[in-house]
Amino acid sequence: MPGILLRDAGDGIRILSIDNAAKKNALDNALCGELAEKVSSLAADKDARVVIVTGEGGAFCAGADLPDVFGTMGDDINDIRDHLGDVVYQSFLGLRELKMPVISAVEGPAVGAGLNMALAADVVIASPSADFAATFSRIGLHQGGGCTPLLVETLGRQRAMKLLLEGGRLTGQQAYDLGLVAALADDPMDAALELAKTTADLDPRLARNIKTAVKLASESGFDAALQFETWAQAYTATQPGIQKMIAKLSKKK
């Protein structure tokens, strides 16, 4: 039976996975609801230090299950908009709101909503043969779910525009070459776990503050990020580990 899996991998690492192999992990309304619940539980999980998002059976997520998602909403534009924003989009965009770092491990298709979900993570690790696809325009559908800002953020305005107009797709290698993906790995899950273990070893507050600083730099500009990181660096400078290191270095002078 399709579902959203949430596993504790130890050391504060959580693995969130779509299990709908028969449809290459496409998201229907029920799975969107379950995904939103799991993301909410992660937000409340005080022991979670890092989250890995992936899909079962060699696919990340083939997008929305269109007959289920769009075929049940009627024809009132306001009702459709509300359902898309409150149920469908929020299910995966909630990942961006998590305070801890989020890593997506992408193998196989990441199409439409699946592309958005992959890019909602802080770091994307993919196999060279992964399939990142923004094929909305090919079926006459405007992109949604944050696809526009996510692509502009990662590819830049012109490349995002070209991909959306073409309804195009990128292999993992192409996505890496264009900056959509942070790293390539034959086994993205293993690589994601390695990064997750490194992240989990950090003071959780340090990891959260690194994420906040990067987000501010991306969304609010240099001055906002500088102001935050000045405070965050001052905070870490008062911590015992740094204090001991400074004392040790001072004795060597």
Side-chain angles (χ1 to χ4, degrees), residues 4-6 16 33-43:
I4 304 296
L5 308 178
L6 180 56
L16 182 68
E34 189 176 350
L35 178 59
E37 290 177 3
K38 291 294 196 299
V39 172
S40 292
S41 72
L42 284 167

Side-chain angles (χ1 to χ4, degrees), residues 11-252:
D11 299 322
I13 300 169
R14 306 290 185 261
I15 300 174
L16 182 68
S17 182
I18 306 173
D19 185 9
N20 187 16
K23 294 188 176 182
K24 295 184 179 179
N25 297 324
L27 291 170
D28 57 25
N29 285 313
L31 286 173
C32 285
E34 189 176 350
L35 178 59
E37 290 177 3
K38 291 294 196 299
V39 172
S40 292
S41 72
L42 284 167
D45 185 348
K46 295 181 180 180
D47 295 322
R49 295 192 171 197
V50 58
V51 177
I52 299 173
V53 183
T54 192
E56 300 295 310
F60 185 76
C61 173
D65 184 331
L66 295 180
D68 185 81
V69 171
F70 285 94
T72 59
M73 292 190 292
D75 56 8
D76 183 277
I77 292 175
N78 290 320
D79 289 343
I80 296 172
R81 180 198 62 191
D82 291 346
H83 181 78
L84 288 173
D86 297 341
V87 177
V88 182
Y89 298 171
Q90 188 55 36
S91 67
F92 50 82
L93 291 181
L95 293 167
R96 283 177 66 89
E97 299 167 14
L98 292 176
K99 293 182 179 180
M100 73 286 287
V102 179
I103 305 163
S104 60
V106 182
E107 190 173 11
V111 181
L115 170 65
N116 298 340
M117 184 166 65
L119 298 183
D122 300 297
V123 178
V124 183
I125 299 176
S127 69
S129 60
D131 179 22
F132 295 91
T135 51
F136 300 94
S137 64
R138 290 194 180 188
I139 59 172
L141 186 68
H142 194 283
Q143 69 273 11
C147 189
T148 308
L150 288 166
L151 286 177
V152 171
E153 182 179 81
T154 51
L155 292 178
R157 182 180 65 85
Q158 291 191 58
R159 284 173 173 163
M161 183 75 168
K162 181 175 183 291
L163 189 70
L164 290 168
L165 288 173
E166 293 174 340
R169 56 202 325 138
L170 301 169
T171 65
Q173 181 66 58
Q174 291 170 325
Y176 174 75
D177 292 341
L178 293 174
L180 191 81
V181 167
L184 292 177
D186 290 333
D187 189 330
M189 191 62 198
D190 276 355
L193 279 168
E194 184 176 348
L195 178 58
K197 290 174 183 176
T198 299
T199 303
D201 284 341
L202 298 174
D203 182 321
R205 291 164 294 187
L206 175 58
R208 290 196 300 266
N209 287 342
I210 289 172
K211 175 170 179 169
T212 298
V214 171
K215 183 177 181 181
L216 283 170
S218 175
E219 298 178 359
S220 302
F222 184 92
D223 290 342
L226 177 63
Q227 187 174 25
F228 177 81
E229 71 178 17
T230 303
W231 169 85
Q233 189 172 68
Y235 168 76
T236 52
T238 67
Q239 299 307 294
I242 294 293
Q243 290 289 308
K244 288 180 181 178
M245 182 190 72
I246 292 172
K248 186 175 180 179
L249 291 173
S250 298
K251 289 179 180 179
K252 292 182 178 181

